[in-house]
Amino acid sequence: MPVDLSFHYNCQDCRINSRLLQRRAGALLRECRIADHGLSILMVDDQEISWLNDHYRHKNGPTNVLSFPFADGADSSLSMLPVKELGDIVISVDTALREAKEFNQSLHDRLTWLITHGLLHLLGYDHELSDTDAIIMQDKEQELLTKLQHSRSTAMTHLAINVDHIATIRQARGGVEPDPVTAAAICEMAGATGIVVHLREDRRHIQDRDVRLLRQTVKTKLNLEMGANKEIISIALDLKPDMVTLVPEKRQELTTEGGLDVTSQKKMLAKTIDKMRKAGIPVSLFVDPDTRQIKAAHEIGATFVEIHTGRYCDATSEKSREQEFQTIAAIAEEAYQIGLRVYAGHGLSYQTTARIAALDTIEELSIGHAIIARAAFTGLDQAVRDMLAIVQEAGRIS
Ligand code: PXP
């Protein structure tokens, strides 16, 4: 049964990784041996939880979490139905943010604690009954959270596909085929969860017409990769993709060569992020696996970082590849812990993707060249499915 996670919270700036929380809630259900039950989690603000607190518990003001067991207070015959529903956990994100600060925890860890607490209430634990009940509930909470730390991930990392090089082939003859818009649809039908295109200043592959059509046709998520230059910013603000990824862009380069130096361009990047935020477009910054870049990205209000995997993929010895991998793992953890949502990409191949996909902190991979290159021999649908199989398997065994 799925964990349903929904928001009555204005999440425009919100750095909550829903997939990670769903995965943690799913792991908690498995630990409690009730994975066949449905659970609903609703994120609200202080105002809404205050209303619920007053209406159902006659208590004033906001609280952090409320639990409503299925059929509690409703028609009692509902409890006779053969439906395996645990009920609803309602969490105030405003209060969770305050508590995370107070207890020096990441927001995700605080929300995980609140989900655990709420779940135990749904299961009949109640710390308010007596001191003994409080100790029993606290012990159970601790036991579940410890197990959660060691539990294995089962959710799949998302795979977004960069279709720039379909356009590169088209531009080689300056004609109309192959069309990246058709390619995007094939990728989505094969299971991709997002489409990425880089509208470069020199329009060497993706054209304005492509992004306009993709905005209308992409059903999953359109991520517009772009340099932070005036013309492209204005196109993005007009187009309103689902998100943008800011990258450094040089005319002479073959492909994006390194991550953004966020530390030296904080002011300009913060301004761009602000413009995007006002237009409702979340921003990701493409950065090298470097702690200073992560901190700077967080400081200027990025929602996501995409960690550059190029050095790991290009490593020529096992030892250096291992070092690069460990750096990515540590930096992804750090970014995740300070509340950034973490993507990764560049240079990932059918050989190098599995280890990155197995990292629990990385939500999505952005892969282009390897898939388009394989597609020349196997067809695009098969090339996407082959990569998805690797990503899926990595999630199962990590
Ligand atoms: N992420 C970013 C920011 C990129 O610039 C690119 C290349 O366009 C990719 C991911 C995909 O890299 P590759 O084509 O090597 O898979």
Side-chain angles (χ1 to χ4, degrees):
M1 284 258 193
V3 173
D4 180 50
L5 177 66
S6 48
F7 288 83
H8 283 180
Y9 188 83
N10 180 4
C11 253
Q12 192 180 313
D13 279 339
C14 170
R15 297 196 177 115
I16 295 176
N17 180 343
S18 321
R19 178 176 150 271
L20 186 111
L21 291 179
Q22 270 175 314
R23 191 161 61 186
R24 288 183 175 180
L28 286 170
L29 296 186
R30 281 193 299 283
E31 288 300 344
C32 297
R33 312 227 176 285
I34 44 172
D36 56 344
H37 283 59
L39 172 67
S40 147
I41 302 170
L42 178 64
M43 300 288 176
V44 300
D45 58 14
D46 269 350
Q47 200 183 349
E48 186 164 348
I49 211 156
S50 298
W51 186 88
L52 292 168
N53 207 17
D54 177 33
H55 192 76
Y56 291 102
R57 298 174 73 224
H58 311 296
K59 293 197 175 178
N60 258 340
T63 184
N64 50 12
V65 58
L66 291 172
S67 296
F68 298 97
F70 181 69
D72 205 22
D75 182 343
S76 58
S77 61
L78 278 180
S79 59
M80 311 292 281
L81 290 175
V83 179
K84 291 182 165 181
E85 281 294 334
L86 290 165
D88 302 276
I89 297 172
V90 184
I91 292 172
S92 164
V93 180
D94 292 329
T95 303
L97 278 163
R98 281 196 303 275
E99 290 180 347
K101 214 167 184 181
E102 185 184 337
F103 299 122
N104 201 17
Q105 277 181 308
S106 73
L107 175 61
H108 288 101
D109 285 350
R110 191 66 203 155
L111 291 170
T112 305
W113 185 86
L114 293 170
I115 291 170
T116 311
H117 190 81
L119 176 64
L120 288 178
H121 273 304
L122 289 181
L123 295 177
Y125 290 80
D126 191 350
H127 55 94
E128 288 184 344
L129 288 179
S130 69
D131 287 349
T132 314
D133 283 282
I135 291 168
I136 292 172
M137 187 163 173
Q138 217 171 42
D139 286 351
K140 188 69 186 170
E141 245 160 42
Q142 203 44 55
E143 178 198 322
L144 284 176
L145 288 166
T146 307
K147 281 186 175 160
L148 199 58
Q149 272 183 348
H150 300 293
S151 78
R152 287 159 185 240
S153 127
T154 51
M156 198 185 95
T157 304
H158 290 175
L159 175 63
I161 299 188
N162 181 315
V163 295
D164 289 352
H165 294 313
I166 295 289
T168 304
I169 301 172
R170 176 190 61 192
Q171 296 311 111
R173 286 288 170 96
V176 293
E177 279 180 333
D179 190 338
V181 180
T182 311
I186 293 172
C187 291
E188 287 188 310
M189 284 193 288
T193 48
I195 299 297
V196 188
V197 284
H198 186 174
L199 185 65
R200 295 186 75 107
E201 212 182 338
D202 63 11
R203 307 296 198 273
R204 68 176 69 165
H205 38 52
I206 293 295
Q207 306 296 307
D208 298 50
R209 162 266 183 208
D210 301 331
V211 292
R212 276 199 308 275
L213 284 177
L214 285 166
R215 173 67 288 194
Q216 292 169 35
T217 56
V218 166
K219 312 267 186 317
T220 51
K221 180 183 69 175
L222 179 64
N223 180 351
L224 182 68
E225 192 183 320
M226 53 182 271
N229 79 58
K230 216 168 154 195
E231 185 219 356
I232 307 286
I233 289 173
S234 125
I235 292 175
L237 291 171
D238 190 41
L239 186 77
K240 292 198 172 38
D242 297 297
M243 63 181 288
V244 297
T245 299
L246 299 180
V247 298
E249 190 177 302
K250 292 191 209 112
R251 277 187 180 252
Q252 314 85 318
E253 69 191 356
L254 276 179
T255 177
T256 315
E257 280 164 6
L260 277 171
D261 186 359
V262 186
T263 54
S264 70
Q265 303 176 85
K266 268 180 159 175
K267 219 166 152 188
M268 180 276 286
L269 290 169
K271 237 167 121 179
T272 310
I273 290 173
D274 195 46
K275 277 188 195 156
M276 295 294 167
R277 200 189 55 236
K278 285 184 180 137
I281 307 167
V283 177
S284 177
L285 300 181
F286 181 55
V287 292
D288 290 327
D290 175 335
T291 198
R292 289 165 311 153
Q293 303 299 343
I294 298 295
K295 283 190 179 131
H298 181 249
E299 273 166 34
I300 61 172
T303 304
F304 303 83
V305 281
E306 181 181 329
I307 296 180
H308 195 322
T309 47
R311 281 208 310 263
Y312 156 73
C313 295
D314 296 341
T316 49
S317 71
E318 227 171 89
K319 188 169 167 223
S320 60
R321 178 161 293 168
E322 183 59 26
Q323 274 168 354
E324 296 297 345
F325 173 76
Q326 293 304 338
T327 305
I328 290 172
I331 295 295
E333 178 71 33
E334 185 184 330
Y336 164 75
Q337 284 298 343
I338 57 173
L340 287 161
R341 295 176 64 180
V342 189
Y343 287 4
H346 210 289
L348 290 169
S349 69
Y350 290 83
Q351 289 73 41
T352 52
T353 293
R355 286 195 83 190
I356 302 292
L359 291 172
D360 221 16
T361 44
I362 294 180
E363 216 177 309
E364 181 171 294
L365 302 178
S366 172
I367 309 184
H369 186 268
I371 293 174
I372 305 304
R374 177 175 286 220
F377 300 112
T378 66
L380 186 53
D381 177 85
Q382 190 59 48
V384 173
R385 288 177 198 275
D386 290 347
M387 188 58 91
L388 269 172
I390 290 171
V391 172
Q392 226 155 6
E393 186 59 19
R396 249 198 296 279
I397 58 175
S398 63

